[in-house]
Amino acid sequence: MFASASRSSARVLGAVRLVFRGVRTNAADNQAAAASAAAQAEAARKDMPPKDMRPLYLDAQATTPLDPRVLDKMLPYLVSMYGNPHSRTHAYGWESEAAVEHARKQVADLIGADPKEIIFTSGATESNNIAVKGVARFYKSKKKHVITTQTEHKCVLDSCRALEAEDFDITYLPVQKNGLIDLKELETAIRPDTVLLSVMFVNNEIGVRQPVEDIGKICRAKKVFFHTDAAQAVGKIPVDVNAMNIDLMSISGHKIYGPKGVGALYVRRRPRVRVEAPQSGGGQERGMRSGTVPTPLVVGLGAACELAGKEMEYDSKRITELSNRLVNRIMAECPQVVRNGDPEHMYPGCVNLSFAYVEGESLLMALKDVALSSGSACTSASLEPSYVLRAIGADEDLAHSSIRFGIGRFTTEAEIDYTAEKCIQHVKRLREMSPLWEMVQEGVDLKSIKWTQH
């Protein structure tokens, strides 16, 4: 008996040694593969800066860094508390479920909602898709008209185009020169068969803040569901879904110093909003978003929301000061610089400037030691001028010359001063190379010139 036990132990130990030998081999292979991939990436991008010379980060509308305090909250659920929150038969599942429900409350508290009204998603893009398509499809037998604006995020516009292919009627409201919608025009556009209005809270390119409170009142009076993409607003400015009469609202984790790959959708329960689920599965998240909820990411989103609520007043004051410092410094030294969007109704952390007679891409390349953007990260791969700037009536040359500065929680005064100084320096240098700038200096009205092709 003891001999057979010892033989069994020997076999187990042998198997363990083989496994560990395989793990070591796999680890070595993985390290080699990672090194090879890194080398290929570096070879593909010759313009990558040296490893010890990372640029300053001023692109907070594209994404924000993970707050270390958020990471601290996430780590236990990545390593030791790894249970599936939908497992109901053991402690691993129970502790994960408790963490998810706590995060749900943290998100709800930030926007004045009930925790049961928070649906976890993979991000604002998925939230927007569920809200726009889900509401329209659920009520399609009664109402088939949806209203949105020309300056919405691409995922909302594309969702509306998908609905057009399903015989929905879509109205794309224009915006005024300052980026705000005309409330009278909105009221006129609402019809008896209008089911949904979707308007972005704060625009991701020009920072304009729409009059959400007034829009909510109009929608409630007309019995139209009101959805707002608040990815750039939640955690940065006060939001109360009840006071603002918001029925559905999209939230993104990585825009508020939380992790990427997680977001939320607020769906009102009273009066109840019904949504057709876009995907089939286990019926998690009130049946609206099937799939295992990623506990570590959700915990990170909840922690980020709680921090944003506590630090909103301080962050807002500081970001406003930094924003004014940047704009005033650049405009004092550089003539013919235009700030896009309404100067009052805007989020100060998003500064979109157009530099006349300077190509935006040239300025971005000159400012390669500062991480900036010439528009939305979702559409900036295109060399076409921003559709948002075109919608506000910006001249094509000014639309091509725009740069977006994104100021965040961790931006410093020194970074702002350095960016302003370099920006002024390169704008002056690029203008000196421009024959158009020379003509303007000589008093020539460029709009009066009839250009011909050769």
Side-chain angles (χ1 to χ4, degrees):
M1 176 178 151
F2 288 111
S4 67
S6 64
R7 278 197 298 273
S8 298
S9 299
R11 279 198 296 272
V12 170
L13 285 169
V16 168
R17 286 192 194 99
L18 283 172
V19 169
F20 274 108
R21 196 175 300 136
V23 168
R24 281 200 298 272
T25 306
N26 288 340
D29 290 346
N30 290 342
Q31 284 175 344
S36 171
Q40 285 173 4
E42 281 188 31
R45 293 301 305 248
K46 300 290 184 188
D47 53 350
M48 281 289 284
K51 289 190 173 85
D52 58 341
M53 292 284 289
R54 282 176 70 75
L56 305 180
Y57 190 77
L58 279 178
D59 201 14
Q61 271 63 56
T63 193
T64 57
L66 186 69
D67 193 302
R69 294 168 292 180
V70 171
L71 179 61
D72 287 343
K73 298 289 185 184
M74 292 172 64
L75 279 173
Y77 297 94
L78 285 162
V79 181
S80 55
M81 301 163 79
Y82 46 79
N84 185 322
H86 313 298
S87 295
R88 300 292 168 84
T89 57
H90 50 70
Y92 286 87
W94 302 333
E95 65 190 7
S96 290
E97 183 186 25
V100 166
E101 294 312 312
H102 179 61
R104 203 184 300 279
K105 185 176 185 308
Q106 288 172 309
V107 177
D109 288 347
L110 181 63
I111 61 172
D114 185 294
K116 290 176 183 173
E117 297 174 314
I118 304 299
I119 306 301
F120 289 121
T121 66
S122 64
T125 291
E126 186 183 10
S127 296
N128 286 337
N129 272 264
I130 293 172
V132 175
K133 294 175 185 170
V135 168
R137 287 169 179 165
F138 189 90
Y139 295 96
K140 67 183 175 184
S141 61
K142 298 175 184 175
K143 299 180 173 185
K144 294 199 78 169
H145 180 230
V146 175
I147 302 173
T148 189
T149 76
Q150 294 175 2
T151 55
E152 291 303 299
H153 191 277
K154 205 168 185 306
C155 64
V156 170
L157 294 175
D158 283 357
S159 292
C160 288
R161 289 190 191 102
L163 290 174
E164 279 183 298
E166 298 172 23
D167 294 328
F168 282 87
D169 191 7
I170 311 293
T171 298
Y172 299 94
L173 285 175
V175 293
Q176 302 169 88
K177 288 270 187 188
N178 60 3
L180 297 172
I181 63 169
D182 184 329
L183 292 174
K184 287 182 182 173
E185 202 169 340
L186 164 63
E187 210 159 352
T188 306
I190 295 175
R191 309 186 322 211
D193 65 336
T194 304
V195 63
L196 179 75
L197 167 68
S198 182
V199 177
M200 192 186 284
F201 204 128
V202 170
N203 188 271
N204 58 312
E205 286 196 40
I206 57 176
V208 164
R209 177 183 172 176
Q210 296 292 349
V212 169
E213 299 90 338
D214 298 328
I215 296 169
K217 281 179 191 170
I218 293 169
C219 287
R220 186 57 57 87
K222 300 270 188 178
K223 295 189 168 140
V224 172
F225 293 126
F226 175 34
H227 165 252
T228 182
D229 174 0
Q232 301 287 348
V234 168
K236 299 172 184 177
I237 57 179
V239 176
D240 187 320
V241 291
N242 292 309
M244 296 174 173
N245 292 308
I246 296 168
D247 296 306
L248 302 107
M249 185 166 73
S250 303
I251 300 168
S252 173
H254 73 104
K255 298 292 199 290
I256 53 170
Y257 312 94
K260 294 170 181 64
V262 68
L265 175 65
Y266 160 77
V267 183
R268 182 176 290 282
R269 295 180 82 217
R270 291 187 184 86
R272 191 178 182 190
V273 181
R274 303 293 297 274
V275 172
E276 184 179 293
Q279 65 187 30
S280 306
Q284 292 91 344
E285 299 301 288
R286 284 172 54 200
M288 291 183 222
R289 204 279 184 181
S290 290
T292 302
V293 173
T295 310
L297 298 181
V298 163
V299 166
L301 174 61
C305 285
E306 186 174 312
L307 279 171
K310 288 177 180 174
E311 301 189 356
M312 190 183 298
E313 191 178 339
Y314 173 80
D315 281 352
S316 177
K317 184 182 173 190
R318 189 171 165 280
I319 287 169
T320 301
E321 287 170 358
L322 292 175
S323 174
N324 292 337
R325 188 183 184 99
L326 176 72
V327 173
N328 294 340
R329 180 100 180 265
I330 290 174
M331 288 191 165
E333 296 284 335
C334 292
Q336 301 211 36
V337 177
V338 177
R339 181 166 189 177
N340 297 303
D342 191 273
E344 291 180 17
H345 301 94
M346 55 87 183
Y347 168 63
C350 181
V351 177
N352 191 302
L353 300 178
S354 288
F355 299 87
Y357 316 108
V358 173
E359 182 63 44
E361 298 298 325
S362 302
L363 186 53
L364 274 182
M365 288 171 70
L367 289 164
K368 58 187 173 186
D369 48 354
V370 183
L372 296 163
S373 166
S374 58
S376 164
C378 309
T379 51
S380 58
S382 165
L383 290 176
E384 287 294 308
S386 156
Y387 69 89
V388 172
L389 295 179
R390 283 206 306 256
I392 65 172
D395 291 338
E396 188 147 328
D397 54 342
L398 275 180
H400 269 297
S401 70
S402 72
I403 300 288
R404 183 183 68 181
F405 302 83
I407 301 165
R409 180 181 291 168
F410 301 113
T411 307
T412 65
E413 277 188 11
E415 288 174 333
I416 291 293
D417 291 344
Y418 179 86
T419 302
E421 182 187 328
K422 287 289 177 183
C423 193
I424 292 161
Q425 176 188 326
H426 289 300
V427 165
K428 287 179 177 177
R429 180 180 63 81
L430 290 167
R431 280 178 174 173
E432 282 170 11
M433 296 163 61
S434 168
L436 296 177
W437 177 249
E438 192 177 333
M439 292 165 73
V440 168
Q441 295 302 99
E442 290 170 0
V444 177
D445 181 7
L446 296 181
K447 290 189 178 176
S448 66
I449 298 173
K450 291 183 180 177
W451 304 96
T452 58
Q453 288 184 329
H454 293 284

